[in-house]
Each structure stands twice: as C-alpha cells, then as structure tokens.
Amino acid sequence: MASEDLSAANSRLGVLAQHLAPLEPGDLLTQQLTSSSYSRGGYDSTFPQATTMAAFPPAVHDLLALEGLLNPEERQLRDKVRSYMESNVAPVIADYWERAEFPYPLVPGFAALGLAGGPIKGYGCPGLSILSNGMAVVEIARVDASMSTFLLVHSHLAMLTIGLLGSEEQKQELLPRMAKFELVGCWALTEPSNGSDASALTTTATKVPGGWMINGYKRWIGNGTWADLTVVWARNNQDGQVNAFIVRKGNPGLRTSKLENKIALRCVQNADMTFSQCFVPDSARLPGVASFADTNKVLAISRIMVAWQPVGLSVGVYDMCCRYVTERKQFNTQLGSFQLVQERLARMAGHIQGMWLSCWRLSKLYEEGRMSHEQASLVKAWVSARGREVMSLGRELLGGNGILAHFLVAKSFSDLEAIYTYEGTYDVNVLVAGRRITGVSAIRAASPARGAKKGSKQQDGEGERK
C-alpha cells in the first residue's frame, strides 16, 4: 500500500476511535464497533483504494447553500442527528442490512435524540416543527433508510394517530413511554387484498359486550413482528365505517410472521398480521376516528416525511460518490477528472437541490395550513422518481463497488425501491396530482353498468392515500 493510503487509513481509524468514547464498555454496540469487521475506519484490506461507508463521507451536497433556509434550531437538530448517524449507525448498519436484522442495540442511543412523537406537543414529545422533523428524516435516511422508516412508522404513524385521534387516557398512558421508545408502535392499514385501494379494507371489528372482536389480515406492517402495540384499521359492523383500535402485543387472536426475502429496507421487520377473534376492550378504540377519511389527518404529515426520505438517500449517495471519485484511480488519474463522471455528479447535484426545495416548500405549506393532498402527492411522486435517477447515477459511478452494500450506494439503491411504492405508489400519486390539474379522476374506471358520460368527473376511492 502506498504511504499516503496507509496514512489516510490510520486517520480514519483515529476518527472512529473518537466515536467509541461515549459508549459503555461491554455494551453490545461497543463490541460490534470494535470487532474486526468494524474497527478499520472504513478501510477494507481487500480493496484499499476507496473508503467504505463505515467511515461516512463529509456532507458536500448543499451546492445552493440551502441550509440558509433553516433557522438555528433546525440546523442544530440536523447536526445532532447527523453526528449520531455517522458515528454510531454508519459503522455497523451494512452488516445488519445484509442479515436482514433490526439493529436493536442502536435503539437507546436513537431514543436519546428526542425525535419520537415529532410534531406532538406535550406528553413527553418534542413538539418539533414539520421542517425540523424533515431534517431529522434526511439525516437518518442519508445513512440508512431502514432506521428512518422505523422512526416514521413508530412516530409519524402510530404515535401521531394516538396524538391526533386518541382519547386523553390513551395519550397519557402511551405517548410518554413511546416517546422514550419504552413502547414501540406499528400501524396496520394495508391488507393482502388491498394495497393502493386501501379504503376497501376488509378487516372487521364486530361490537360485542365490553369491546370489539377484530378479524382480518394485514400485510407489509413495519415493526409488526416486535411492536408493543399496533394501531389497527378495521371496518365496524354497526355503520360500516372504518375505525382504529389499539391492539397490544400478546393479545390472544393476534399472530404475526416476518415477511422474508425483501431486497429493500432489509432491517425493517415487516409483518404479515392475522387477527382471529381478537378481542379488544372499548377503551382500545380511538374515539377521534369516525371514518376512513380520518386517516388523512395522519397521512398528511407522514407523506411529507416520506417525501424527505428520497432526499436523504440521495444526499448520502452523492456524498459517497464525491469521495469515491477522488479516491479511486483508473488510467493513472482519479475518476473525478473524467468528463462523464463530472456530468453525472452535476446531474445528481441538480436533482438534489430541486428535491430538497420541493420538500422544503411542502413543509412550509403545511406549517402555514395551506398544503393540499394533491400537492403532497405531487412532491412525493416527483422526488421518488428523481431519487431513483440519483441512485442509478451513483451506481454507475461506483462501478463494481456499486453493488456492494458496504459502499452504501447498492443499499440505498435497493431501499429507494420500497419508498417509490409505499405511502402511495408513483402512479397513484401522479394520478392524484393529475386529478387536480384536469379536474377529472383517472384512478377508478367507470362502472360497466352505468358507463361514464363524456367529460364527467369520476369519483375515486381513498386508495391513493396508502
């Protein structure tokens, strides 16, 4: 190895050693960080020509000085989350991702960031602005999208539903413990037979003395294999409307199994859930839910957060590529000196600035009380599509290393495929935006029995909301 390469590797080891200082001796996470797999500070002896994500690259993606649009509190939160993710998550997460395991040892440090409950005020929650929540999502997804999805399911779906639609007793009991991650939540809407057409859900809640009997199936439920509580959406037998219920872990009649063989968000423990004569007391029903339309009160915020995820993935890949093309040499010169490489980097950077600005504007519109459902769908669809292109360009820039998870790009490339689909597929979201543009819904076909009058506005269901 050249002396300059050895010097750089030793420098990276020193940086990683500094990150280990706050960890308790004997801690499982400490053992992982100091094991032979992680103690090299991003140096791989089989490929010393470039640094892996274990020593995360510096943030160089803000070419338009967009941080000037953040206030001091938002920048401070962003920097705190960035430091934690780079120091504690980046060195170990690729191996968890490879094994499709959730990084449970990271949860205490993650909880200490004070992010759970995001926009909820009181009940031990931080009451962060929408933009502050977005910055946290970006910095988490920059290193690992699975961890950002874990937070979004727990905080911006389960906790937010309880915070917005739960009873005072439910809030007092659950939110303080969920804010500390003493309890972890999941959110069960999607079913095997109803993905995009979520409003047609078939899970039922039958009124019985003292409570409700829930029967049905749910699929793709993040955190579902191990969550302490599940917010379940089911159609009641009294008026046919959709209600929400809290089902506790270990409740008789609830069975979960892990979805295997995923290529994306591999650390997220997605579950198939079966509810078979699953009784919950009357106190488990969320009184603020009167119909399926109430899901929008939650999804309005969660969709903004999901829109920020491709931004985080893209800036992480861009930062990795910028470092890689300065380290990696071919034809006796660094890759960054080639025109085609610079063109790809410039295209990635341009997309990132536009993606960030779109999500920033969407966040501001929500804070001003002016965001529409169609605006959220447009931004989520557009940033997901642009993020896909950024992932593809990054894959090209890293060559063969672009398919290795510990160089980040392959992991992020795969993870974005899930985000492209959830919280509304790309196609459904653009059709929601198209409905706003044209005044005509193209989501549901006209009824064969009735036909459709030329130029008439078709009524679509609520499926685009999930």
Side-chain angles (χ1 to χ4, degrees), residues 46-92:
T46 65
F47 189 80
Q49 290 84 3
T51 310
T52 71
M53 69 169 292
F56 214 75
V60 295
H61 52 265
D62 188 6
L63 271 63
L64 294 182
L66 298 176
E67 76 165 17
L69 296 173
L70 305 176
N71 65 35
E73 292 76 18
E74 290 158 351
R75 286 196 294 272
Q76 183 179 20
L77 179 68
R78 178 203 63 187
D79 293 345
K80 179 175 72 171
V81 177
R82 178 180 294 175
S83 176
Y84 172 79
M85 294 300 297
E86 292 180 352
S87 303
N88 294 278
V89 179
V92 301

Side-chain angles (χ1 to χ4, degrees), residues 85 110 136-142 144-154 156 265 268 305 309 313 419 422:
M85 294 300 297
F110 201 64
V137 170
V138 168
E139 293 304 323
I140 298 168
R142 176 173 172 257
D144 183 62
S146 290
M147 291 295 286
S148 70
T149 299
F150 160 64
L151 176 68
L152 293 188
V153 171
H154 171 73
H156 290 86
L265 301 178
V268 177
M305 297 303 115
Q309 284 186 293
L313 284 159
I419 297 168
Y422 70 36

